[in-house]
Amino acid sequence: MESDVQKFWQKNPCGAELVGDLNDRSRAEYEAFFARYDEYRYTKEAHILDCLDAVAFDGKRVLEIGLGQGADGEQIVRRGGFYSGVDLTDEATERTRMRLTLKNLPFERIERASALKLPFDDNSFDIVFSHGVLHHIPDIKTAQKEIARVLRRDGKLVAMLYAKWSMNYLASIFVFRRLGLLAMYFLGIKADGIYGDHLANAKKAGIWKYLSMDNFINVSTDGAFNPYSKVYGTAEVRADFPDFEISKTGKYFMYAPPLPVSRLPLASLLGWHLWAELKPKGS
Ligand SMILES: C[S@@+](CC[C@H](N)C(=O)[O-])C[C@H]1O[C@@H](n2cnc3c(N)ncnc32)[C@H](O)[C@@H]1O
């Protein structure tokens, strides 16, 4: 299963398709890509910068797990963190290393590695940061054990997980998108893009199997071919992170396509991004 996850993210470097991916690997192309990616990310999800400001990174040893385009890694370094990062794919590690190098920003180690087997000694970090990643790891119990191992006893894990108690999960994914696909399927409506991908997938897997929530949650987050996603409330966090206790949570980002919810002032109640701060149990 981890090899499916790895193949998917190597082929779909997180968020690149939203702004137009790199055309080549020249310095100018990287610089232009990082600029348009960051502009898009921190405009659409402006809360990320506020959430990062609320974490005291300065002077701390920080490990990021799951790097994407390295955008938050840059923000952590700019906030004074001594930064290391790992990602399952060569693509994300290369992009993050390139980003920091081109901008003359310091880092310790950036390596291709899995959260299931972190290449660091026990008690190496003050903070482990992971945005939008841990909900894509099927064997999360092993990953959380590894995170607890590399964290100092007085350290913390700061993670963004997809929120179960959100408009996106409860209304859009659970109800509207499933009904929409069902209607398109039985009415024989043709479609391109993501809807076309869903229809083709549903034909291959069988419509009822495809729409079962065990499957539909995967393909309704991060693209129609995403092999694994899970949604979290505090009960699921407690169950999946047994070596930790929750010290703080907050929800952000009204997002529930195709529903036009971005302006509703309900993010703290029904937002899609659950930020959780966890500390090792007994610390
Ligand atoms: C949705 S992207 C998030 C990237 C970035 N943190 C962001 O917010 O844009 C998920 C990233 O996690 C990485 N990933 C998935 N499973 C992983 C694992 N077991 N260990 C390390 N990285 C993993 C993927 O390769 C991908 O780069």
Side-chain angles (χ1 to χ4, degrees):
M1 185 68 174
E2 185 169 75
S3 66
D4 295 336
V5 173
Q6 200 255 353
K7 268 187 224 139
F8 175 75
W9 291 111
Q10 174 73 15
K11 196 165 164 213
N12 302 279
C14 195
E17 77 288 354
L18 301 170
V19 294
D21 203 0
L22 291 164
N23 291 312
D24 58 53
R25 303 276 167 164
S26 64
R27 182 188 180 117
E29 186 64 17
Y30 267 117
E31 283 173 347
F33 171 75
F34 291 141
R36 68 179 181 271
Y37 179 79
D38 292 8
E39 167 74 19
Y40 176 85
R41 180 182 184 83
Y42 297 126
T43 302
K44 186 158 180 236
E45 300 178 30
H47 66 275
I48 296 178
L49 294 177
D50 296 335
C51 291
L52 291 174
D53 282 340
V55 182
F57 287 112
D58 195 17
K60 300 284 170 44
R61 296 204 67 218
V62 183
L63 172 66
E64 182 176 20
I65 297 176
L67 309 177
Q69 308 297 339
D72 297 345
E74 174 179 337
Q75 295 300 323
I76 290 168
V77 175
R78 291 194 185 281
R79 284 163 175 73
F82 298 116
Y83 179 82
S84 292
V86 294
D87 194 283
L88 206 47
T89 67
D90 285 326
E91 195 55 53
T93 47
E94 189 183 319
R95 287 173 188 230
T96 304
R97 200 177 297 114
M98 188 60 80
R99 174 192 278 267
L100 297 181
T101 305
L102 288 179
K103 298 185 185 212
N104 284 320
L105 292 168
F107 58 87
E108 298 196 338
R109 289 166 58 186
I110 295 178
E111 291 181 19
R112 180 160 76 81
S114 169
L116 303 184
K117 198 168 186 302
L118 293 169
F120 299 97
D121 292 339
D122 298 0
N123 308 311
S124 292
F125 296 100
D126 302 298
I127 300 172
V128 171
F129 174 77
S130 192
H131 184 275
V133 178
L134 302 179
H135 49 226
H136 295 307
I137 300 183
D139 187 2
I140 185 61
K141 292 252 176 68
T142 299
Q144 68 87 39
K145 199 172 256 322
E146 271 295 88
I147 295 169
R149 180 184 69 73
V150 302
L151 264 181
R152 290 164 46 121
R153 294 303 301 154
D154 58 353
K156 64 181 170 186
L157 164 63
V158 179
M160 186 285 275
L161 303 162
Y162 289 148
K164 179 177 183 180
W165 304 103
S166 61
M167 184 85 93
N168 195 32
Y169 180 70
L170 298 173
S172 181
I173 296 174
F174 200 89
V175 182
F176 284 94
R177 290 202 227 166
R178 285 204 295 170
L179 284 178
L181 186 58
L182 198 61
M184 288 173 88
Y185 187 87
F186 283 113
L187 295 174
I189 294 170
K190 302 251 180 304
D192 295 326
I194 184 132
Y195 295 106
D197 291 340
H198 281 306
L199 284 168
N201 284 351
K203 231 168 245 169
K204 209 155 127 197
I207 183 74
W208 300 113
K209 189 161 171 226
Y210 193 70
L211 288 176
S212 74
M213 280 315 288
D214 276 354
N215 176 68
F216 202 64
I217 186 58
N218 306 331
V219 296
S220 300
T221 55
D222 303 86
F225 300 101
N226 176 24
Y228 184 79
S229 281
K230 179 169 179 173
V231 286
Y232 282 87
T234 49
E236 288 77 15
V237 175
R238 281 197 191 93
D240 278 4
F241 293 79
D243 291 358
F244 288 87
E245 50 195 74
I246 299 174
S247 35
K248 195 164 117 184
T249 61
K251 274 192 273 182
Y252 305 86
F253 193 35
M254 280 310 286
Y255 171 85
L259 307 174
V261 300
S262 63
R263 285 171 191 277
L264 291 180
L266 294 172
S268 60
L269 209 60
L270 289 169
W272 177 228
H273 287 184
L274 173 68
W275 281 64
E277 253 187 52
L278 309 181
K279 57 179 185 171
K281 236 176 208 165
S283 61

